[in-house]
Amino acid sequence: MENSVTSSSSKVKVQYTDPAGIYPLIASDLNSKLPLRNLHWNSSSRPLRSIDSLYVELVPDASNALPVQRRAASTAGLPGTPDSSILARDSFDGRRGSEPFIAKKERRHQIPGLRQTSYLKVFLLRCDDVETYKTSSRKLLREWIKAHTPPTQSNTSVNNPENHDAFEWMIIHVVLPDVQNGSTWPNKSSLSVLDKVRTDFNGSSKSAVDRVAQIPATKSLQVGGTTVNPVPSGIAREQFFKESGRAWEELLSRVKSLILTSFDLRVRQYEEDIKAKSAQRILPGWNFCTFFVLKEGLARGFESVGLVEDALMGYDELSVELYAIIEDEKQKIAAGKEGTLFQEHTQELLVQAQSAIANARQESSKAQLSKRSNPSLLNADRKPYRDLILANNISAFDFESYVFARQVSLLIRIASISPASGTAAGSQESEDLMILAEICRRAVRFITSAGRTIREDLRASIKPEEGADEISLSVRYNVIENILASWTFSSCQQVLAITIPDSLVKQLQLLPHASAMSPRSSQQIMTSPSIQNAKPNPLPRPSRTTSLLGRPPSTTSSPSYDTSFLEDDGLYLQKSPLQGEALTGLSILGAQRAVLYTIAKRALSRLGLRRGWNVNWPTGGGKAEDKDENLDEVSLDGDSHQEHSTDVQVGHSVEETSSLFGVQNDMLLDALSSSKSFYSAYEDMTSAACQHYKVSGDRRSAEAMTIDLAVVRFNQDDYENAANYFHQLAPYYAEDAWTTLEISILDIYAQCLKKLERWDDFVRIAMKILAISGHIDQDTLGIKAYDSIDAAVYLEDLLAASKTSDGSTSTPMKDYFADIRVDPYLRHFKRKDGFELSLTLRYLVPASLEIEETRVRLISTSEAQTRDIWLSAEKPVKISKGLVRVMVVSKVMVPDWFIVDKITMRAGKITFMHDLSPTEGNKFFSKPRVSVSSEGFASMVPRILVWPPPRSLDTKVSLYSDIHLEEPRSLMCEISSGNNAIVLGKLQVRAASAGLRIHTANAELMQGDSSLSDLSQPGVICFEELAKNEAIKIKIPYRLDSEMKEISLRTETIYTTSEGEFVYGDSHVLSVLLPLGVNVHDVFKRDALFSKFSISSSTLVPLRLLDCHLEGTADFEASSPHMGIEGLCVFAKQPVSMVYRIAHKATANRSNAVQQTRLSMRIKYICLDEEALATVSECFVNALHESDFGEFSRLLLPLLNVTLRGRITNQDLELIGLLREVHIGTAQDFRWDQILVALPQPQRHGLASWLAQWHKDFPEIALPRNVTPKNVRTITIPVDVPKTQIVHTAHVRLCTSPPQTQGQPSAFAVGHSLAAELVLQHTRGWDTNRQGNQHGNDPHEFSYELDASPDTWLLGGRRRGLFSAKEHEILTFPILMIPQRAGHLMYPSLEVRSVYDSMKESPVMTSPQPGETDPLLTSELDYQNQGESILVVPNLSSTTVSVDPEGPTRGAWLLESHSRGEVLSG
């Protein structure tokens, strides 16, 4: 891009008057400070505008040229002048001011806006001293100001229209160096002159504008043959530059302010005039062209100061008004009135058309074809448009072209100066992608509108002659269409040439080229030397060398665009799906450029079609036909379009293989020179459009371009490349349900694959064609492409081709079948296990087909069950178009809710699949072909409840009822054969809980007439024959790696009968928590041990304790309490305590070194919730079997148990334990309807009535008193006899008897001493390992201590001491006890300890100090006075009191009292 702005409309003109010829001295400094930066215009009617850079054009004032002799004198002293010595101050010619300025006023045009006048007029003053100023310079300035005073400051009356050319003035004093005195600027003389000028010309008011500035000349001068440098040296140099910079800043600030003032005056004047003209729009004589020039003047004013966005907005408003005026003119012409605003035709188009028609009638027409491009669409100076507009001598087409060219020029300038575009305006990186995309978008809209205008223009200017033959009409039609196509192509070429940034080129280079013939990049397409002529030189835009046509464009009848080309409806502009989304500028630009490629491509294809080169889609059979050959133009407005309709019909009816007259684009002519060039150009353009669509992210349009490339290859019999193109297609047409276009594509693709013998791909495509054919209604659509497709033939070819494939081919069933439904009500067999379902569907393809295999898969809806059920038909089925019903059977029974997941039907190697699971599906053609209502979809995915009949096999798993805590825990698996005579069975057990280990190898048969045959496989238990209605129970040990509350497992019973092999599967969740807890407290006696066992519920569920006894050993015997017949009920907060007496057996040999001390407590119990559920279930099943609904027992019983278990709370269980009855509830509480939906309507109604009646008959169910053995659990708990070496027996024996008082209990008095003895003895009989102690029979030392609270007893005598005793030796120790208070006083507490004997300890061990406790001996104390008390009364026997209420004291008096001692002594 050029660094300077060359367009005059993009600059502000500043005129300078230089009578002294000093401008060259400051030109370099002034130009270095341009353009002006950071201007801010604040208008009263508009928001604040900021101007980053304002370009200024400095023009000299040529209206008052000085005479030659004065010019020579005024320029004296400048570099290169003959005599430089006259620059001295005393040589200045004072006569310069003697000749006044004569201002030649330029005549103002009656239409404002046609001229570009100065915004600021500057007088460059050279005055060296005050004397010279007074004598000559002041007069010169006054004359200049008088001649150039702007209208706003003139004392004369001013007309408002003069403000269209409003300007400001300014005086700049240029100071030259003082050669004689050698002083530097600023000096006293220059400041004096500056003050004088300001005093004389600035005005005296405070608001007066300062219009005077002073700057120094810094350019070297030649004075008397000597070079004078105005810049001083040394220390003064820095001061000079500082003051000089301040002076220039002041000057530029005033220049910006004055220019903005002039601009503001002009804008106000334009706005007032525009408002007035707009108000006169409805008056007669109002002229749009005059209004256009006026409003454009405002837009150009904005452009001149750099407000390009405001200028563009003005042109946009004019564009809208212009299109409205054009439409009004068309309506006038259509109504028979004569249009007065625009010319009927464009002279340039008329000459071009007449020349083409004349050449077409000559025999040597081909030799006269000219090869040149159309005029530049973007050059606004190509014609004197503004003069033509003002003269009302412009056509509608030229008017539109001019407005569009101006809009583009402004957009290009915005892109060049946009802050988002980069730094330097000339940098190639300074390209605003959004602005370039906007240029392309506007170009598409303009080409669409202008194309209609060109056609109407040519039809109006070239009238068909009366009696013209068919050939003449055809030539006229062809020339018009050729001119239009050539103009369209060239316009796209020119716009694309200026909108190809480097970033887009790099992105396009990363994409693979879509064309197989010409692997050139998209930036090389549509490029030629003529592009340079298309670029508007005045625009400040980087010159571009690549963009559009390296080869001519081409067009197919892509489904993304209308097949008509510039008909009355205009070009079809596809609304890109990218609009409205937050996309990058690159993607939006790519999308808009792709539309331009497509428009140009369509122009080329239209021209090639008339030469017999088809790029349209062929019909069935692969024959290329014009898609428009059977389409007729229909007039919507009567006779107004009669001529157009005739032209089109004639144009299509005459052979036009050589009609290129009117085509003036050299690239179009090159492309149309041969079929090879045409197809190559067409492919290049389609590939470029495809690449741009890919960059934009518009996948659909990119696929549409790929289809166009494939069709071109097919028309050239290039089946390989055509098939490759189709292979790249994504589901574009299928997603939008364009069935007619899709079947045409697939038909072509199938023909290519058949020619290439690619049978695998042919099978896939042929199946898709058959799918579409099944959904097309020929009677209503009448699709021509479908008429050529024989479904039976395709089906035959499909089956034959599928046989050559190694594997099977799967396809969605919904493409060939509709109304797919699986009956949700299963049917059981009477003589065997299993069930069947009914599958109904509608076959759509009009050809018979034999289905060899039909399968339906059911998947469970619960997480606990993962087993799938496959149902299959028992024999092949032949189907024809219409409704089909197939019965599918399953020998797998898994009780649970299921949904239909997949349906498959196989014919040969073709498998039709109906997958209802949420998967991605087929990625090639993923659009469903059947639109199903919500009700229909629900029927396609039914919920099916699989449940077994009561006569079928059943498997139940529970915890083993007899638990021994010292042995591994086990499961009990019960298998009931039902009505099945099982020949061979296999039970598979799988853990569903982490950490659960099931040891099937250790399984045992506990009950039943069968045997386990093979336990070698992990998780598998094989058993032999099992007769009908028999059951076996298998015990299976298990282990837990970690503590858990419940375990989950799955079982599958695979069994073989005479009817075949069947499977029964189920899932089980079992609680492994022990429902009870046991605590024990032991009390030692000399001859027996009393153990207190506390049994409680650990799960808040009450327990019924049936038996609890303690089993003895060979050395010990235990006495258990009697439980009673009904047992005891253990509640959560009310445990049961039982005391057992343990003693040595009389026959036991105590001399054994080790005695058997491990006892066993065996507890029989039943959980109250299990007892209640078992009782209710038994009652329910018995009642059900007595009715007509016994077959539904295994359907209803699980829901009964689950609901009842959920309804019974802990409080309810406590009531059940107390009252021994269960409250059932109503039928609504159980919500039987949740499970009755699995039954057909007749059975559902009858069973619901029976259930309601049962709830009424059994509101409460009493629990039986006797217990069913199958519900009883047994747990064996090992109990160790506690070990102790010594058991002391002690008691306090009173030596003093209490005094006996008749009629009163024996008691002691408070304070009387009681003599007593402490009796001690011990036994070592509970030392079960006494034989191992070598000192077992020796005496041991002990210590004892009596202790009591001082408030209760005072103890005397030997209350503590040491003693040594042998086993069974009795020792007594006297003590004295004095009671301290009255009441039942407990005996003092006693503690007896063993004392260590150092003589008997090993020398290795450290001897304790005397009196320390022996750590090697354990002992227990049987204190017989524990819990006993002594009655103590106060020490009073009698008390005498006086009660005299009437005496002087008025109260009671103590007269005397006697203690118990006195009474006894007395």
Side-chain angles (χ1 to χ4, degrees), residues 116 254 270 394 452 562 601 693 719 752 754 996 1145 1174 1340 1363:
Q116 291 186 350
R254 293 175 186 174
Y270 272 111
I394 190 170
R452 291 194 299 266
D562 191 1
K601 178 172 71 83
Y693 277 127
Y719 302 116
C752 294
K754 192 173 182 180
L996 174 61
K1145 287 185 178 181
H1340 287 278
F1363 67 94

Side-chain angles (χ1 to χ4, degrees), residues 221 319 368 425 473 573 590 651 731-732 1041 1090 1107 1125 1229 1293 1298:
L221 306 176
S319 175
Q368 299 179 11
L473 295 177
L573 174 60
Y732 168 60
D1041 293 343
F1090 293 90
D1107 186 20
I1125 300 176
D1229 297 335
R1293 184 171 56 201

